[in-house]
Amino acid sequence: MDTSQIDSFLLLSALILISGVLAAKFSNRIGLPSLVLFILVGMIIGSDGFGVIYFNDPSQAQMVGIFALVIILFEGGLQTKFSTVRSVALPSLSLATLGVLLTSGIVGAAAFLIFDITWMQALLLGAIVGSTDAAAVFAALKERNIKAKMGATLEAESGTNDPMAVFLTISFIEIILIPETSIFSLFPSFIWQMGMGLIIGVLIGKFSSIAINRIKLDSSGLYPIFSVAFALLAYGAASMIGASGFLAVYVAALVIGNSELTYRYSIFQFNEGFAWMAQIFMFILLGLLVFPAELFTWNVMFGGFLLSAVLILVARPIAVLLSTLGMGYKWNEKLFISWAGLRGAVPIILATFPIVAGVEDGEFFFNVVFFIVLTSALVQGTTISKLAKTLNLMGPKKDTPHHSIELISMGKANAEMVQFQVDSDAAIAGQKLKDVAFPQKASISAIVRNENLITPYGETEIKSGDFLYILVSSKYEKELKKALEAKR
């Protein structure tokens, strides 16, 4: 690659990122999922658009997509609280296994009736679109005030259902290419993938938390990079022994995100930005991979529309209904979970597997899956908030401070800057600072109230919604959090 090619590549990367950021900005205003706009950007600058970039390499798209999904899953797991996930662990696991299996089977049966393909090809197509997508679900729910139980169920499901989808996809590809293969002989592999993926995720998560806190790095900017390295380690270690790398990454992120971390906010903010960049590049690349002239044909559009209808209106609702039987979900909650099970990058990436493996009609399957993902994002993604309001499933407004306070040397000083938002039922709400029994060596450095910075003193009253920034010795951090989280 000569200098001019490098210059062109850098310029193009800049334009892609700028386009992606602007697309994300306008997606919120027009109520359209950002992934749709990212994909459209890729299609517009691709070969059938303005012809800026020619890209037709499914194996490279697969590699980039897997890397991006690792980053997105890691960021999503970091932001998820154990207390919320614990309450929905069983239904999420049921949706991630039985739900994917039921969805794949129903969609596969419909594909057999709609298209002129074999049963195994139809079931392969069903398996590819059987799982919800972490990137799409995390992005769709991040800025919406959905009730915590609903958000946790959908996020935990999308973070853990990849092993089943990958297992079914690879299994059906093997059966198509090697007809004497029995799918029942492949189930021990699935148990291994799930079990070892979980174990490796927990082990690496615990090791990562200890390493981040114990190893004193010279620059605070190295800690976020350190955390990403462990995300890649979790995926790589799991994949090397045939376990689920995606599950290992998500579980490791859960463990890390719920541990006490040095430079916690730097790590979280870096990974949030990195995840956005991964989403932008991944969806634009997937947009480049599809050729609109092949996508928007009568056979693909008509069949894809019918299959989308079966997936959204039949397969997913049945899967949710049966997967959550007796688990305490109300009818309105089941309806919302059914509707908010978005498809996104995972099905598109899985759709490259048949092409790379040389399965007959692989490119046709890819175009059908791509059309289904677009339909899911446009129909379901744009109506999630409206449906949540209609079903009375909106939660409290998500309030995130636009201020960041972090002590540069606190990792070396054995101190932490703790951020805490005061809920209306918190024991400290309504109290004056001088009356609050904080532990030793803990002092409130600042209070952010309604986007205003307040200098705290003894007579300052703590109000619901306040963000408290408290400097505390690492030795007393757990004691401080126990006092802050006490309820009336």
Side-chain angles (χ1 to χ4, degrees), residues 35-50:
L35 72 90
V36 175
L37 295 182
F38 297 155
I39 288 173
L40 289 178
V41 169
M43 293 170 70
I44 290 170
I45 65 176
S47 302
D48 281 0
F50 291 119

Side-chain angles (χ1 to χ4, degrees), residues 142-213:
K142 182 170 287 188
E143 302 300 328
R144 291 175 169 86
N145 307 320
I146 309 299
K147 280 190 176 180
K149 180 182 178 182
M150 297 296 95
T153 301
L154 289 162
E155 289 181 358
E157 176 200 6
S158 65
T160 56
N161 66 6
D162 294 332
M164 176 60 89
V166 172
F167 162 73
L168 291 175
T169 300
I170 293 175
S171 297
F172 285 123
I173 289 175
E174 286 190 27
I175 292 172
I176 291 171
L177 297 178
I178 310 173
E180 57 269 22
T181 304
S182 170
I183 192 169
F184 296 104
S185 67
L186 300 171
F187 268 102
S189 171
F190 172 70
I191 301 300
W192 172 267
Q193 288 181 42
M194 291 288 286
M196 291 307 298
L198 178 63
I199 291 171
I200 289 174
V202 171
L203 292 176
I204 290 183
K206 289 184 176 296
F207 175 76
S208 305
S209 303
I210 294 171
I212 290 170
N213 288 327

